[in-house]
Amino acid sequence: MATKKAVSFESQLRALYERAGVGRNTLEGTPMRALQLLRAIGTSLPIRAALYRRGYNERDHQEGWRRLHACSGFVMQEADSLIDGDVRDAIAELDAWDEPAFKILSATLKRRFPAQHAFLLEGLQPSTGAEALLGIRALLDRMDQMEKGPSRKATRKQDAEALALLAERGIDSEARNHLRGLLAIAQRAEEPPPLSNEAKDAAQLAHVETLVSLREWFEEWSEIARACVSRRDYLIRMGLASRRSGSSTETQDTEPAEEPAAAE
């Protein structure tokens, strides 16, 4: 049996979909459609001129972008960022380091030291964000094992030669220490506390609210655009018409099939 809070959440969610007048698939697809419309208006003088004659102005354009940013989670930050500047810079540097470094390491060792190549790179590849940090940490740990780990005693000579060659390629002890320092700084980024069920419901409602708000803006100006822009290539550019696959015939754009608007 649903609790009072769950019923309240589902009722609010259903009311938002009813206000939008479209299903979940269509509503979730609105940001991409609004982006295409905004870009077309912003980059095509004839399209912009046609809409300006119907009252569209800079205020309407900025309103569309604000609503799009809101449903995309975009928030303009002042000097006090959500993430400490040093942490952000460390993560960015680590994220940028792994892809070229992994390529250099692989090219250097694959032919000359295949066993060391396999040991260092097994299960690792360039990544982004948190995965990049984990991959770099694992790589550094394996290089430390090659340098002095007891489990690598039997291959110490070949390991040392491989590490010396990597040092010539710029992956030396100084660089490894620098990366360790960046990892220590990056660890200062705190994980956000887990959300309660009530907070998750509130966040979902807030997200759908921003989608509905964007949908209202999009429907108003897309309908006006259809009425005042006659050229089919302009309509296609705005995402309001499309070509048939394998044909030169343009057709009126259709939105994805609807799904029930009830809460999951």
Side-chain angles (χ1 to χ4, degrees):
M1 182 176 179
T3 65
K4 184 176 181 180
K5 285 185 178 179
V7 171
S8 175
F9 163 72
E10 292 172 0
S11 298
Q12 292 178 73
L13 193 58
R14 188 175 296 108
L16 285 171
Y17 281 115
E18 289 175 355
R19 173 180 150 194
V22 295
R24 180 165 61 88
N25 271 2
T26 299
L27 194 59
E28 291 287 349
T30 299
M32 291 304 297
R33 304 200 73 206
L35 175 61
Q36 187 171 357
L37 178 60
L38 283 162
R39 289 180 62 183
I41 296 171
T43 58
S44 171
L45 182 58
I47 292 174
R48 190 160 61 251
L51 286 172
Y52 274 20
R53 287 194 292 270
R54 299 298 179 176
Y56 191 90
N57 55 37
E58 182 63 22
R59 182 181 64 254
D60 297 305
H61 198 64
Q62 292 304 321
E63 180 184 3
W65 279 112
R66 282 196 302 272
R67 295 189 185 198
L68 178 60
H69 285 156
C71 67
S72 303
F74 180 88
V75 180
M76 290 296 291
Q77 295 295 323
E78 299 298 334
D80 53 332
S81 174
L82 291 175
I83 301 178
D84 177 82
D86 290 340
V87 173
R88 184 177 60 250
D89 292 344
I91 293 174
E93 185 174 346
L94 289 164
D95 206 4
W97 181 86
D98 70 338
E99 184 168 357
F102 274 51
K103 289 180 179 178
I104 292 169
L105 188 151
S106 180
T108 300
L109 299 184
K110 189 173 183 179
R111 179 173 60 85
R112 293 182 176 89
F113 299 96
Q116 284 68 29
H117 175 274
F119 174 73
L120 285 177
L121 293 181
E122 183 180 5
L124 300 182
Q125 61 182 3
S127 305
T128 58
E131 290 186 2
L133 273 58
L134 292 174
I136 293 170
R137 183 181 302 282
L139 176 65
L140 295 176
D141 288 345
R142 293 176 188 182
M143 294 181 79
D144 287 349
Q145 291 181 47
M146 286 174 58
E147 191 172 58
K148 53 190 177 183
S151 64
R152 301 286 299 178
K153 187 175 181 179
T155 58
R156 185 78 71 221
K157 183 175 183 297
Q158 293 84 359
D159 288 351
E161 292 174 355
L163 290 173
L165 187 56
L166 288 176
E168 293 178 10
R169 304 291 191 265
I171 309 176
D172 55 14
S173 58
E174 183 178 349
R176 288 157 57 191
N177 289 335
H178 178 65
L179 292 168
R180 289 284 189 191
L182 292 175
L183 287 170
I185 294 172
Q187 280 186 314
R188 287 171 14 202
E190 298 181 358
E191 291 290 330
L195 293 177
S196 65
N197 289 335
E198 291 79 6
K200 290 178 182 177
D201 289 349
Q204 184 175 352
L205 288 171
H207 173 63
V208 175
E209 173 73 41
T210 62
L211 288 172
V212 173
S213 176
L214 177 64
R215 184 73 194 183
E216 291 169 344
W217 179 93
F218 173 77
E219 287 187 344
E220 176 181 354
W221 287 109
S222 63
E223 287 304 311
I224 293 173
R226 286 188 177 101
C228 68
V229 176
S230 58
R231 281 185 53 166
R232 300 290 294 176
D233 56 336
Y234 289 164
L235 290 171
I236 291 170
R237 184 169 180 174
M238 289 186 286
L240 304 180
S242 60
R243 296 181 184 274
R244 291 186 186 277
S245 178
S247 169
S248 61
T249 304
E250 296 93 354
T251 62
Q252 191 70 17
D253 187 39
T254 57
E255 300 200 80
E258 298 286 3
E259 288 190 6
E264 295 182 343

